[in-house]
Amino acid sequence: MADNEGLTPRVFIVRHGETEWAKLGRQTGKTDIELTPLGLKQVLTTASHLVGEEKLLDPAKLARIFVSPRKRAQQTLQGLLGFHLNTIQSNGIEVTTTEDVAEWDYGEYEGLRLPEIRARRKEKGLDEEGKVWNVWGDGCEGGEVKDQVKERLDRVIAAIREIQAPCMRGEKAADVLVVAHGVILRAFVMRWLGYPLEMPLNMMLAPGAVGVLSYKNNSVDEPAFHVGMALPVE
């Protein structure tokens, strides 16, 4: 049976726009940094093209929103939905601000660039000869490890599936929006598909970008992601 994209619920994942630290390649977890002017423009441009009635992300079809508590994510949500956000909330659609979708806690690596982290670990003898550190498998000193991240993301995914399971054939609006951060959203995709976080799967998600997850064959037991998605036909 072919997927019915007009009916099957979707999960939109949106990365916040550019920040000064992201622009410099500095690991940004708990640091509460705001969007740059360009970062806000990235979000507004995404919104103008993709958000609205009969567009890719139709606010009228949302059943729930999850957003990171960090300023950069909160600003992104406001810029993305604009006036739609007040309507959504007045209609009783829950907007959940939660640490469960906050960025990976980098601990002692906060603010460092990738080469600096790897050099630091080499000096401390934390990595075997020839091994290169990556956050997915190794976690962060004083911060989170993969199992902690997996636990909180799995909690969100379980809540989403509970919302969407009764709506696999469009019984009611059940799209979900998650506004968060680059690394945690890539981890979210891994867990959505049931993959371990350390499994090698190169992914990219640009600042202000939108990814789309859903299900094959209108089945909640077949989570999938859209490699490409056509825009709605007017």
Side-chain angles (χ1 to χ4, degrees):
M1 179 187 300
D3 298 338
N4 190 329
E5 293 182 1
L7 298 179
T8 310
R10 296 164 298 175
V11 179
F12 296 97
I13 57 171
V14 178
R15 181 185 175 186
H16 64 75
E18 179 195 77
T19 67
E20 286 294 340
W21 276 25
K23 184 168 65 174
L24 297 172
R26 298 174 67 181
Q27 305 301 311
T28 317
K30 289 188 172 182
T31 303
D32 215 3
I33 191 167
E34 297 186 352
L35 299 180
T36 63
L38 175 60
L40 180 56
K41 188 174 182 179
Q42 289 168 333
V43 174
L44 294 176
T45 299
T46 295
S48 68
H49 288 292
L50 300 181
V51 178
E53 185 178 0
E54 302 302 325
K55 292 187 177 181
L56 178 66
L57 198 171
D58 186 343
K61 296 180 180 179
L62 290 174
R64 185 79 173 271
I65 298 171
F66 294 90
V67 58
S68 162
R70 305 294 172 259
K71 288 179 183 177
R72 54 198 186 273
Q74 295 286 326
Q75 288 178 306
T76 296
L77 176 62
Q78 291 287 342
L80 187 74
L81 293 184
F83 69 89
H84 296 292
L85 190 56
N86 290 332
T87 303
I88 287 168
Q89 291 175 307
S90 65
N91 287 339
I93 304 304
E94 186 175 352
V95 179
T96 303
T97 297
T98 173
E99 290 284 345
D100 280 350
V101 295
E103 184 59 294
W104 201 300
D105 181 354
Y106 293 108
E108 296 176 23
Y109 303 157
E110 183 80 4
L112 299 181
R113 297 177 178 85
L114 190 57
E116 295 171 329
I117 296 172
R118 289 174 174 167
R120 172 194 177 111
R121 291 179 63 89
K122 184 176 181 180
E123 289 173 4
K124 298 175 75 170
L126 294 176
D127 296 323
E128 298 175 4
E129 188 66 30
K131 182 183 180 300
V132 178
W133 173 85
N134 73 80
V135 69
W136 309 98
D138 302 318
C140 304
E141 293 179 83
E144 285 185 301
V145 296
K146 61 185 178 183
D147 287 345
Q148 293 171 301
V149 172
K150 173 183 177 297
E151 181 179 355
R152 60 185 173 96
L153 290 180
D154 285 357
R155 223 174 6 243
V156 176
I157 290 169
I160 292 172
R161 299 231 169 107
E162 184 175 352
I163 293 167
Q164 295 184 331
C167 307
M168 285 291 109
R169 295 185 178 277
E171 288 82 354
K172 63 179 180 178
D175 286 348
V176 171
L177 171 64
V178 180
V179 180
H181 312 267
V183 171
I184 208 65
L185 286 175
R186 283 179 278 161
F188 185 94
V189 172
M190 297 288 282
R191 293 308 304 150
W192 181 264
L193 299 173
Y195 297 152
L197 294 182
E198 67 272 24
M199 189 186 88
L201 181 62
N202 291 332
M203 290 180 284
M204 299 174 67
L205 189 63
V210 178
V212 187
L213 307 174
S214 189
Y215 308 87
K216 290 188 65 178
N217 302 318
N218 305 100
S219 170
V220 75
D221 297 320
E222 298 184 65
F225 68 94
H226 287 277
V227 176
M229 188 166 185
L231 296 179
V233 177
E234 296 182 0

